[in-house]
């Protein structure tokens, strides 16, 4: 999508503090971190939100949660202490960029409710 900031980051048109990249996913540091470790895991394919996953995206979803999340958590040093994954969907769900992205947060004790 031409005007999507995450599509532009994935295409290398907008700089980011990249921490991981492969053929289908890019992960980079959040510009407004809510924890010492706060990265966004973004599929390179434009998917508006979790509500817009299609059957053809099953492998991509599995790749994010089975391959990328554990690798990043280990690489960023948050596996043992624990971390939080957040996937906001839609305006009422707190999604601010209309491109699917998973927040990986760690490096401190997470509180409930999230804040």
């Amino acid at each position: 999508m031409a005007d999507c900031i995450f599509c532009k980051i994935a295409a290398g048109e907008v700089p980011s503090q990249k921490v991981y990249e492969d053929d289908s996913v890019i992960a980079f540091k959040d510009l407004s971190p809510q924890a010492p470790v706060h990265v966004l895991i973004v599929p390179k394919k434009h998917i508006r939100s979790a509500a817009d996953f299609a059957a053809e995206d099953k492998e991509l979803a599995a790749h994010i949660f089975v391959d990328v999340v554990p690798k990043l958590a280990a690489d960023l040093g948050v596996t043992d202490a624990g971390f939080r994954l957040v996937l906001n969907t839609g305006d009422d769900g707190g999604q601010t960029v209309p491109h699917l992205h998973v927040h990986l947060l760690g490096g401190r004790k997470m509180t409930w409710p999230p804040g």
Side-chain angles (χ1 to χ4, degrees):
M1 179 173 267
D3 61 340
C4 173
I5 187 67
F6 287 170
C7 286
K8 290 178 181 180
I9 290 171
E13 298 169 9
V14 172
S16 67
Q17 292 182 0
K18 182 171 45 176
V19 296
Y20 176 84
E21 184 174 16
D22 64 27
D23 291 340
S24 58
V25 173
I26 187 167
F28 51 90
K29 293 181 179 182
D30 193 290
L31 288 177
S32 299
Q34 303 300 304
V37 172
H38 187 169
V39 298
L40 303 179
I41 304 166
V42 178
K44 291 182 177 181
K45 175 183 178 183
H46 185 83
I47 302 170
R48 183 173 171 78
S49 73
D52 298 306
F53 265 123
E56 67 205 38
D57 300 317
K58 286 181 185 180
E59 284 186 33
L60 176 59
H63 175 59
I64 291 169
F65 291 102
V66 175
D67 302 323
V68 178
V69 165
K71 177 179 179 14
L72 279 174
D75 290 351
L76 297 169
V78 296
T79 301
D80 291 339
F83 56 91
R84 176 174 285 165
L85 296 176
V86 177
L87 203 161
N88 300 319
T89 302
D91 291 339
D92 286 352
Q95 185 177 10
T96 57
V97 176
H99 184 125
L100 178 80
H101 55 287
V102 178
H103 297 258
L104 187 155
L105 301 107
R108 69 166 170 85
K109 179 123 176 109
M110 298 292 142
T111 58
W112 191 259

